[in-house]
Amino acid sequence: MYSDFDIPDSTDWLNTPLKDIADLENALHCQICKEFYDTPMITSCSHTFCSRCIRTSLSTDGRCPACRTADQASKLRNNWALQEVVGAFQTARPAAISVARREQEQTRRPGKRKRAVLDSDDVAQAQRVGRTTRSKSRRLAASQTSEPEVMEIEDTDEDASYEPQQPPEDGLVECPLGCGKRMKIEQVEPHLDRCEEERKQEEQRRSAARRPPANGVGSPGPSSRQKGTARPQERLAELNYSLLKEQPMRRKLEELGIPAWGSKQLMVRRHTEWVNLWNANCDSDHPRTKRELLHDLDTWERTQGGKASTANGGLANGVMRKDFDGVGWASNHRDDFSRLIADAKRKK
């Protein structure tokens, strides 16, 4: 009913015959964002997270969120096998969940599946015979199934010949290469060149999709990338912010093409977020354009950056403080939380 609020979740499988798939789907979720892995990266301690999630976490405290082992972003490597598994599961999930829900609804009404439809002759025969015992019914059923009725079919020579279906007489011919297109006879020769080129390109795309990375575990070959997508050439290095003063830091942001206003602390946070966005995009097999990355940076600016502190009265900075009063905040906004929970339950 509310398709906009139908968010895929592992609990969708619990009330279905395929409830064990819930554990499988949980294993394909990142431990940080709790969503399906997006460009999974494996750490030095063999834990896997989304590229952006683990880079943001390492830039904060430099430790693995799972085992608290010290690690660095430069040591991360792509987990290509897990990325293929997640992609295949997301593709097959809608069909599988629909089949599971259909089977669940059928098991709720077992009587309707076994109900037989009797015609008028069966009803009349049942009225003439009256009540019969169970043993008599079994013998009657056995006698009917043991002697099936034999149907004789006469073989005649009138319709023995098979006439293939003739193509429509519209003056068009079908492509000899089998693409299914129909065209005029004078258009066949130019079409063959285009059709052959399209088939070669399609075979190259399929072979590139099946081909493993050629440059090692952490750097896939250029053939596995999408053509025509603006991809960053190289990853950005993390800076030693303690050695940079405010003006050199501002010039560094201007060189990268990102906002350079605010205090040094805000510029450091902005640069760290941009490095995480950029490097995570370099890890992705489907990189996005710089315009899209700037849009994500603007979202961060309005929620956690300098625009959030002015628009919300310092709310973002206050929540991130260690001495933030979470209990008092929850009690003051209890009515808002209750209203949101009620709206979510009603829409679901």
Side-chain angles (χ1 to χ4, degrees), residues 199-261:
R199 292 182 62 180
K200 289 182 180 180
Q201 292 179 359
E202 182 65 22
E203 292 178 358
Q204 291 177 358
R205 285 194 293 267
R206 292 180 180 177
S207 61
R210 294 190 298 265
R211 189 180 306 157
N215 300 337
V217 180
S219 56
S223 60
S224 63
R225 302 292 180 181
Q226 284 186 340
K227 297 181 180 180
T229 305
R231 169 172 168 74
Q233 298 297 324
E234 58 183 7
R235 292 177 173 83
L236 296 178
E238 298 179 359
L239 302 178
N240 190 347
Y241 301 113
S242 60
L243 299 180
L244 287 176
K245 295 184 178 181
E246 184 172 349
Q247 290 301 325
M249 186 69 194
R250 199 179 305 277
R251 287 195 298 268
K252 186 66 177 178
L253 298 185
E254 292 175 352
E255 293 175 0
L256 295 175
I258 59 178
W261 52 271

Side-chain angles (χ1 to χ4, degrees), residues 167-198:
E169 298 180 357
D170 52 1
L172 303 179
V173 295
E174 190 172 353
C175 174
L177 297 180
C179 68
K181 296 182 179 180
R182 298 177 60 81
M183 65 205 76
K184 295 181 179 180
I185 187 66
E186 58 270 13
Q187 297 177 347
V188 173
E189 186 174 355
H191 170 76
L192 290 178
D193 298 335
R194 295 194 303 268
C195 186
E196 184 67 22
E197 186 66 23
E198 291 176 358

Side-chain angles (χ1 to χ4, degrees), residues 133-143:
T133 60
R134 181 177 300 177
S135 59
K136 184 177 180 180
S137 301
R138 290 179 178 176
R139 288 196 302 270
L140 180 60
S143 63

Side-chain angles (χ1 to χ4, degrees), residues 84-226:
E84 294 181 359
V85 171
V86 172
F89 183 85
Q90 287 181 302
T91 303
R93 189 185 190 280
I97 195 67
S98 62
V99 172
R101 288 173 177 173
R102 191 183 312 120
E103 184 67 21
Q104 176 188 5
E105 302 215 348
Q106 291 178 355
T107 54
R108 290 179 180 177
R109 303 188 298 269
K112 293 186 178 181
R113 295 169 56 189
K114 299 180 180 179
R115 185 176 300 171
V117 179
L118 302 178
D119 54 10
S120 58
D121 296 339
D122 296 334
V123 174
Q125 183 180 359
Q127 292 176 353
R128 289 196 304 268
V129 174
R131 298 182 59 186
T132 58
T133 60
R134 181 177 300 177
S135 59
K136 184 177 180 180
S137 301
R138 290 179 178 176
R139 288 196 302 270
L140 180 60
S143 63
Q144 292 177 352
T145 56
S146 60
E147 298 179 0
E149 182 181 357
V150 180
M151 180 179 299
E152 296 182 0
I153 301 177
E154 296 181 0
D155 190 6
T156 60
D157 296 335
E158 296 178 357
D159 299 329
S161 61
Y162 171 74
E163 296 182 359
Q165 185 178 2
Q166 298 295 333
E169 298 180 357
D170 52 1
L172 303 179
V173 295
E174 190 172 353
C175 174
L177 297 180
C179 68
K181 296 182 179 180
R182 298 177 60 81
M183 65 205 76
K184 295 181 179 180
I185 187 66
E186 58 270 13
Q187 297 177 347
V188 173
E189 186 174 355
H191 170 76
L192 290 178
D193 298 335
R194 295 194 303 268
C195 186
E196 184 67 22
E197 186 66 23
E198 291 176 358
R199 292 182 62 180
K200 289 182 180 180
Q201 292 179 359
E202 182 65 22
E203 292 178 358
Q204 291 177 358
R205 285 194 293 267
R206 292 180 180 177
S207 61
R210 294 190 298 265
R211 189 180 306 157
N215 300 337
V217 180
S219 56
S223 60
S224 63
R225 302 292 180 181
Q226 284 186 340

Side-chain angles (χ1 to χ4, degrees), residues 14-32:
L14 295 181
N15 295 327
T16 65
L18 303 178
K19 59 182 179 180
D20 294 335
I21 299 185
D23 296 333
L24 172 62
E25 184 168 337
N26 282 328
L28 302 180
H29 284 188
C30 174
Q31 300 182 30
I32 298 178

